Amino acid sequence: MTPELGQLALILALFLALAQSVLPLIGAWRGNRALMAVARPAATGQAVFVALAFAILVSAFLRFDFSVQYVADNSNLQLPWYYRIAAVWGAHEGSMLLWVLILNVWTVALTLFSRRLPDAFLARVLSVLGIISTGFLCFILFTSNPFARLLPMPPDGADLNPVLQDPGMTFHPPVLYMGYVGFSVAFAFSIAALLGGSMQQSWVRWARPWTNAAWGFLSCGIVAGSWWAYAELGWGGWWFWDPVENASFMPWLVGVALIHAQAVTEKRGSLRAWTILLSLFAFSLSLLGTFLVRSGILTSVHAFASDPRRGTFILCFLAVVVGGSLLLYALRAPKVAGGKAFALVSRESAILVGNLMFTVAAAMVMLGTLFPLLGDALNLGKISVGPPYFGLLFPLLMLPVVLLLPFGPYLRWGNSEAPMLKQVLVRAGIAAAACAVIAAFLVQGQLKAIAGVASAVWVGMGVVLYVLKRWRDMPRGRRYPAEMAGMLLAHFGVAIFLIGVLLSESLSVTRDVRLSPGQVATVGGYEFRFDGVTQATGPNWTAQQGVVTVTRNGAPVAVMHPQKRTYAHEQVQTTSAIDPGVTRDIYVALGEPMDPNHVEGAWALRLYTKPFVRWIWGGGLFMMLGGFVSAADRRFHVKREAEAAQTVTAVLQESQA
Amino acid sequence: MSRLLPFFAFVLLAALLGFGIWWNSAHDPTAVPSPLINKPAPAFALPMLDQPTKTVSKESLLGKPYLVNVFASWCFACGEEHPVLMEESKGLGVPVIGYDYKDDPNDAKSWLAQHGNPYDMVIADTSGHTAIDFGVYGAPETFLIDAKGVIRYKRIGPLTSDVIAQQLKPAIEALQKEAP
Amino acid sequence: MAKLLRTIVLLMLIAITGIAAAQAIDPLPFRDHAEELRFQHLTSELRCLVCQDENLADSNADFARDLRHKVFELMQQGKSDAQIKQYLVDRYSDFVLYDPPVNGRTWLLWFGPLLILITGGVVVASTIRKRSRSGASAASAPTENGDDW
């Protein structure tokens, strides 16, 4: 009976979403306060029902209710409870439900924290979010019902894909969705601004904390996904330029551009149309990502079952939401370049160049991701586009960004003096060159590693110099406002990330070896001694577990236990052993016995040493932190009642006109 | 006008995505067309499954068109395809050669004994080395080779009655017309 | 038809995973570490046709192992990377290359980003020019109290 309640809750949520989309919009248009006032309760009600549906699905998993098709497909009696909860978003139907739930979380947060927004504006924002929610609720109810029954009820379910049975799976998708979906807020703000007309740029200040927070979540989600791929897939790689990864990376790149463009628009009034367009792009790319993943039109690691009906539905929805918003943009975007003028050497110019590079990078990722499809369409034959393509073009596009980065904080709005910039150039340049020379000796002339050290010091030095300057110049308490602290953290994250990527890419050593018990292999200065294979058991698997003792110059470093697990339904999954460290990871994956009949004999093992690989995720986490910290700036939250009142009058006058 | 550019770009993108949905529902997205079509088949010499001492080579088969059907006892989809071959192989008008791919010969023999043998002759590629020359990457696959030893048609995935009627038979008829 | 096709693909996948006992971890007798690095690099840029989301270096599929061994064998025969890639392209088409060759069919892929960059660059340059000219006098520096950073 309960699963049907879940479905009922979704239907009720759909009706509330419809009310939330239509009524406030009419209200804002006609200046009818009663209709506008529907938005808030409708949004809250919708969230309650979606949360209820979600809770019912969770409880179906916890109670092993295999009469629900989705539960039977994705869990079984041996699956531990935490993975049963994660299984809720382990496949298509549940992850769409999570998508809608998170959209509702953002909407409710918006109703709670935006009480000071003008009524008409908030009504339009909530209505846009309602439209998005309506689309996805329809999608769930008509094509992907997670509550469909399976009768007769099977005694046990199938297994959740073992790849997904990893701690990373419990938080990677929710956090990633928080980012994806979070861009819907900036999107809704832009649409509301377009609909409202003469809103000037005040909407941008309201949208900024939401954009920064969403981008922070997206950074965190991507880091989590990358970490999961590294730890779980057993290939030691952290980024594969896989279509699904690219789908999350495109909104991230556009998000970076958007965050900076919003700063320009808010503070100087320039780039208004561009900021609106970027807000539309960021969320459109999130939707595109959802489409690419859910329609299965591209082959990917994340090979979800594809269903043309679902693909068609999302495509139509995409056409309505994205096509509609871009049409609206064409009709209503500010036509005159407004805002304060700026000189060639100014923060605006630098941000524009950065915006260009990030947008082109996103376009490049999209082109590379969709090109195989274009190849089919134009009859160019089957073409693969992979890491060599992205790995060549992406760094080239990011090079100007890295070169400009240290100057960012020093550049002034409007017009900047050259001497200060020259000083930065000299100081950061000397530091980078000096460190590059030292590094050259340590890494035996590996160019990529030297470039990594130099670029990281270049970027990091710029940040550090600015931190010191503020410390000297400003009185306590006014040195680092949250918005600036966030920027500095994120920029510093870039330096850490550069170290991680370039050093680990150039200095990692990988070897496939065959070892008999007692034998030693030396990789990257570490001795790996294989001590045979034992048995291990977990809640729903048994494993052959290798024992590998790692030493360096005879001194013990770690004892590692790579596993080859066999899950309840005969699925085999290797689980690598990782000994983490700040300056290096040691990574061991267990292969097969060389002779299947003699597991006590020699085995194939893959041994890695990966210097500084952790800095990649460290850098990403700094960026995430930067997003969150700057979102928390008080400047975004203080009352601006006078201004708000003014805008309301303006809107009311306009809507009555 | 320039304000409409993003919209037009999106229309193009949406058209491409729509094409993708249509294309994937009409084609196997994982099938990679072989570059060997209309190229000479690779030279090979493989033992026969039931008489391992006798080898069959490309030269020995020149002179008339034939079909090579790659199968294996471990291959699930081959089990799907097998009944179709049992029914239709004799009516194709060309000899059908079974190509046992990366298989234990004993497994293959018992598999054929159990499910029936639709082939005029079975050759065994236990190591799979020759299969690489043919561009085989899974089973089942089917090649149509003409009298001069040129590959004229390839099917990736199981043959079905539809595929035989709509693609394979016309291809065979075309061959028979050009080589009277 | 489409449904049938999907079922077939699914069945093929089952057939493939059913035999995927072989492992990507595959110790080969390399002459020296340089050769091993070359092999790792080469196989990481080749796409497996069975598990199409994986490269040859990482794929567990039996087929991927066969191709890895072929690559190794060709390397032992002294073939260059280009020759080895050509060998595979002759049999499996450009699809095996994760690094698509620059030719008439891929010019859009390789030079498209450059075109976008140039177009965008022109727009950005003209914007900066316009804005710096229109307000050369008005482009006052912000207040020097350090809060308006």
Side-chain angles (χ1 to χ4, degrees):
Chain A
M1 186 55 217
T2 9
E4 280 71 25
L5 277 182
Q7 199 168 349
L8 186 66
L10 283 181
I11 293 170
L12 290 173
L14 174 63
F15 283 118
L16 285 167
L18 275 170
Q20 182 193 334
S21 354
V22 179
L23 300 180
L25 203 58
I26 298 175
W29 174 42
R30 312 289 312 172
N32 182 332
R33 286 188 172 275
L35 285 179
M36 285 194 263
V38 172
R40 228 183 268 266
T44 316
Q46 190 206 143
V48 168
F49 282 116
V50 170
L52 184 67
F54 192 81
I56 287 171
L57 189 58
V58 171
S59 95
F61 269 99
L62 291 179
R63 288 183 295 109
F64 301 107
D65 187 352
F66 298 128
S67 71
V68 177
Q69 171 96 46
Y70 186 73
V71 176
D73 285 349
N74 294 292
S75 70
N76 57 26
L77 292 170
Q78 281 94 38
L79 198 66
W81 66 269
Y82 40 92
Y83 289 139
R84 291 211 302 282
I85 294 181
V88 171
W89 50 82
H92 171 77
E93 289 85 348
S95 63
M96 288 329 295
L97 188 56
L98 179 69
W99 207 105
V100 174
L101 178 69
I102 286 174
L103 179 62
N104 278 280
V105 168
W106 279 103
T107 312
V108 169
L110 191 66
T111 61
L112 290 179
F113 293 116
S114 300
R115 294 195 182 277
R116 294 197 188 88
L117 288 186
D119 285 344
F121 185 78
L122 186 63
R124 289 198 181 100
V125 169
L126 290 179
S127 148
V128 172
L129 292 173
I131 292 170
I132 297 165
S133 192
T134 305
F136 275 90
L137 283 169
C138 285
F139 180 60
I140 293 177
L141 284 168
F142 295 130
T143 73
S144 326
N145 182 6
F147 298 107
R149 288 281 196 177
L150 176 62
L151 295 171
M153 173 170 144
D156 194 0
D159 206 355
L160 178 68
N161 186 343
V163 177
L164 305 183
Q165 296 184 34
D166 178 89
M169 183 59 194
T170 51
F171 66 90
H172 160 58
V175 176
L176 190 70
Y177 281 8
M178 280 300 282
Y180 255 17
V181 183
F183 282 134
S184 65
V185 179
F187 174 84
F189 272 79
S190 300
I191 297 289
L194 285 173
L195 287 172
S198 62
M199 296 283 296
Q200 299 288 349
Q201 70 262 32
S202 42
W203 74 271
V204 179
R205 185 175 49 247
W206 305 327
R208 282 189 72 191
W210 300 96
T211 315
N212 290 353
W215 183 83
F217 278 115
L218 189 58
S219 308
C220 183
I222 293 176
V223 165
S226 164
W227 161 250
W228 174 32
Y230 170 81
E232 184 65 22
L233 292 180
W235 302 331
W238 55 276
W239 191 259
F240 298 93
W241 295 106
D242 171 88
V244 172
E245 287 174 332
N246 292 349
S248 66
F249 195 43
M250 288 186 277
W252 188 88
L253 288 170
V254 171
V256 174
L258 174 61
I259 284 174
H260 291 86
Q262 281 184 341
V264 177
T265 309
E266 187 219 340
K267 297 206 163 147
R268 308 289 290 177
S270 308
L271 309 186
R272 284 183 310 187
W274 176 238
T275 302
I276 290 179
L277 195 57
L278 278 180
S279 316
L280 304 188
F281 281 166
F283 184 61
S284 302
L285 286 171
S286 299
L287 286 181
L288 177 72
T290 310
F291 172 83
L292 290 181
V293 176
R294 293 300 147 205
S295 67
I297 62 172
L298 299 167
T299 6
S300 148
V301 178
H302 309 62
F304 297 101
S306 64
D307 179 340
R309 226 158 41 99
R310 290 174 183 166
T312 314
F313 188 104
I314 309 187
L315 184 59
C316 293
F317 182 64
L318 211 63
V320 171
V321 172
V322 181
S325 59
L326 290 176
L327 258 185
L328 186 67
Y329 169 83
L331 295 174
R332 301 289 303 256
K335 297 256 183 331
V336 201
K340 299 176 182 144
F342 52 87
L344 173 62
V345 184
S346 65
R347 191 180 282 173
E348 287 95 326
S349 301
I351 285 182
L352 259 180
V353 173
N355 259 261
L356 172 68
M357 301 321 289
F358 277 102
T359 318
V360 174
M364 181 274 289
V365 173
M366 189 195 283
L367 182 66
T369 308
L370 294 179
F371 195 78
L373 198 58
L374 203 62
D376 285 337
L378 304 180
N379 202 15
L380 302 174
K382 281 269 196 183
I383 296 163
S384 302
V385 183
Y389 171 82
F390 299 106
L392 174 71
L393 293 191
F394 187 70
L396 283 179
L397 288 171
M398 285 301 111
L399 187 64
V401 174
V402 169
L403 290 179
L404 275 178
L405 204 52
F407 304 111
Y410 285 94
L411 283 162
R412 309 193 69 92
W413 296 115
N415 196 357
S416 231
E417 321 82 20
M420 175 66 91
L421 300 177
K422 236 175 232 161
Q423 202 183 28
V424 179
L425 174 75
V426 170
R427 288 182 179 172
I430 288 176
C435 291
V437 171
I438 297 170
F441 287 106
L442 294 175
V443 300
Q444 286 105 36
Q446 288 258 20
L447 277 180
K448 213 175 186 181
I450 298 170
V453 172
S455 60
V457 171
W458 169 254
V459 171
M461 200 63 191
V463 174
V464 169
L465 284 175
Y466 192 72
V467 168
L468 292 177
K469 176 179 142 60
R470 290 289 294 190
W471 184 267
R472 276 198 315 268
D473 293 356
M474 298 297 293
R476 183 199 296 268
R478 277 169 61 197
R479 282 174 185 142
Y480 310 111
E483 191 194 352
M484 176 192 289
M487 179 268 289
L488 292 171
L489 281 172
H491 285 188
F492 196 68
V494 175
I496 296 176
F497 177 79
L498 282 169
I499 291 252
V501 174
L502 290 163
L503 288 189
S504 78
E505 298 261 288
S506 55
L507 303 179
S508 289
V509 185
T510 308
R511 283 192 67 194
D512 286 355
V513 293
R514 167 209 166 107
L515 291 178
S516 302
Q519 258 186 324
V520 175
T522 306
V523 176
Y526 291 87
E527 301 96 36
F528 294 76
R529 192 183 73 229
F530 179 55
D531 293 331
V533 166
T534 57
Q535 289 290 321
T537 46
N540 59 337
W541 46 263
T542 58
Q544 289 169 310
Q545 177 171 287
V547 182
V548 176
T549 309
V550 184
T551 55
R552 186 177 179 111
N553 302 326
V557 174
V559 180
M560 307 182 65
H561 301 284
Q563 295 176 336
K564 230 181 68 184
R565 292 181 183 174
T566 306
Y567 280 83
H569 289 245
E570 299 300 316
Q571 292 153 300
V572 177
Q573 174 71 29
T574 56
T575 302
S576 358
I578 300 173
D579 181 52
V582 176
T583 57
R584 56 98 191 101
D585 270 20
I586 298 171
Y587 189 122
V588 180
L590 187 65
E592 297 283 317
M594 299 311 292
D595 178 350
N597 299 322
H598 291 279
V599 291
E600 74 284 359
W603 280 67
L605 291 151
R606 185 172 279 188
L607 312 174
Y608 304 84
T609 53
K610 298 193 154 284
F612 294 96
V613 68
R614 239 141 248 273
W615 291 46
I616 294 172
W617 306 298
L621 291 179
F622 263 93
M623 295 183 211
M624 167 200 83
L625 211 58
F628 290 150
V629 167
S630 63
D633 197 310
R634 290 188 44 196
R635 210 167 59 78
F636 298 132
H637 306 309
V638 288
K639 290 186 189 175
R640 293 188 184 259
E641 279 161 5
E643 195 180 78
Q646 202 184 339
T647 334
V648 170
T649 2
V651 170
L652 285 178
Q653 279 163 357
E654 185 207 350
S655 48
Q656 282 154 5
Chain B
M1 184 56 207
S2 67
R3 305 266 136 151
L4 268 171
L5 277 181
F7 177 74
F8 288 136
F10 172 73
V11 170
L12 285 181
L13 177 68
L16 180 65
L17 298 177
F19 164 82
I21 294 174
W22 169 78
W23 176 266
N24 278 8
S25 56
H27 298 75
D28 173 3
T30 57
V32 181
S34 174
L36 291 170
I37 300 214
N38 293 328
K39 300 251 172 66
F44 64 90
L46 289 169
M48 292 177 72
L49 181 66
D50 42 5
Q51 294 161 277
T53 50
K54 271 177 80 175
T55 51
V56 177
S57 68
K58 183 185 172 189
E59 288 72 35
S60 66
L61 292 168
L62 288 176
K64 58 176 193 276
Y66 56 97
L67 207 64
V68 175
N69 176 252
V70 180
F71 77 99
S73 65
W74 46 260
C75 153
F76 192 83
C78 301
E80 299 283 304
E81 178 188 61
H82 205 72
V84 178
L85 279 179
M86 288 301 291
E87 196 170 312
E88 306 219 20
S89 71
K90 297 294 172 236
L92 290 174
V94 288
V96 181
I97 299 175
Y99 186 113
D100 185 27
Y101 173 57
K102 286 175 75 71
D103 210 358
D104 183 329
N106 291 326
D107 290 349
K109 276 182 221 164
S110 56
W111 192 77
L112 287 176
Q114 188 189 341
H115 298 282
N117 185 348
Y119 304 112
D120 295 283
M121 179 199 297
V122 179
I123 51 181
D125 181 8
T126 324
S127 68
H129 287 174
T130 308
I132 293 180
D133 288 335
F134 269 94
V136 170
Y137 67 93
E141 290 184 9
T142 306
F143 296 84
L144 176 63
I145 299 173
D146 71 10
K148 298 192 189 89
V150 175
I151 297 177
R152 300 299 288 268
Y153 167 85
K154 179 182 177 185
R155 163 75 185 167
I156 297 164
L159 289 170
T160 60
S161 304
D162 284 349
V163 170
I164 290 176
Q166 286 159 19
Q167 299 174 17
L168 186 56
K169 277 194 173 153
I172 293 173
E173 276 159 24
L175 277 191
Q176 282 161 343
K177 256 179 227 154
E178 73 186 48
Chain C
M1 182 61 203
K3 195 164 178 185
L4 178 74
L5 218 112
R6 269 201 314 284
T7 325
I8 290 166
V9 171
L10 198 73
L11 292 176
M12 278 177 83
L13 281 176
I14 292 167
I16 290 155
T17 45
I19 52 141
Q23 260 285 339
I25 300 173
D26 195 5
L28 291 166
F30 295 104
R31 274 192 296 256
D32 52 31
H33 190 54
E35 191 185 51
E36 186 172 10
L37 282 179
R38 189 184 146 210
F39 177 81
Q40 285 170 357
H41 184 249
L42 188 57
T43 49
S44 74
E45 292 197 344
L46 294 169
R47 185 171 189 172
C48 175
L49 283 91
V50 172
C51 303
Q52 293 190 354
D53 46 4
E54 294 177 354
N55 59 34
L56 283 188
D58 293 332
S59 178
N60 284 342
D62 209 22
F63 170 78
R65 196 192 53 178
D66 284 358
L67 280 197
R68 270 201 304 273
H69 289 184
K70 194 76 203 179
V71 169
F72 180 71
E73 188 188 317
L74 292 170
M75 276 173 71
Q76 299 301 311
Q77 292 168 12
K79 296 274 197 304
S80 72
D81 287 5
Q83 284 172 318
I84 295 172
K85 283 184 176 176
Q86 193 56 47
Y87 177 91
L88 290 172
V89 167
D90 287 343
R91 286 155 181 77
Y92 292 104
S93 82
D94 282 348
F95 186 80
V96 292
L97 302 178
Y98 262 132
D99 193 3
V102 182
N103 58 30
R105 292 180 299 140
T106 57
W107 69 265
L108 181 64
L109 174 69
W110 283 103
F111 299 108
L114 188 66
L115 285 180
I116 304 172
L117 181 62
I118 291 171
T119 320
V122 169
V123 173
V124 166
S126 80
T127 309
I128 294 178
R129 255 184 74 170
K130 237 186 288 169
R131 301 306 297 275
S132 61
R133 225 181 252 164
S134 73
S137 54
S140 57
T143 47
E144 286 296 331
N145 67 4
D147 284 333
D148 187 14
W149 55 282

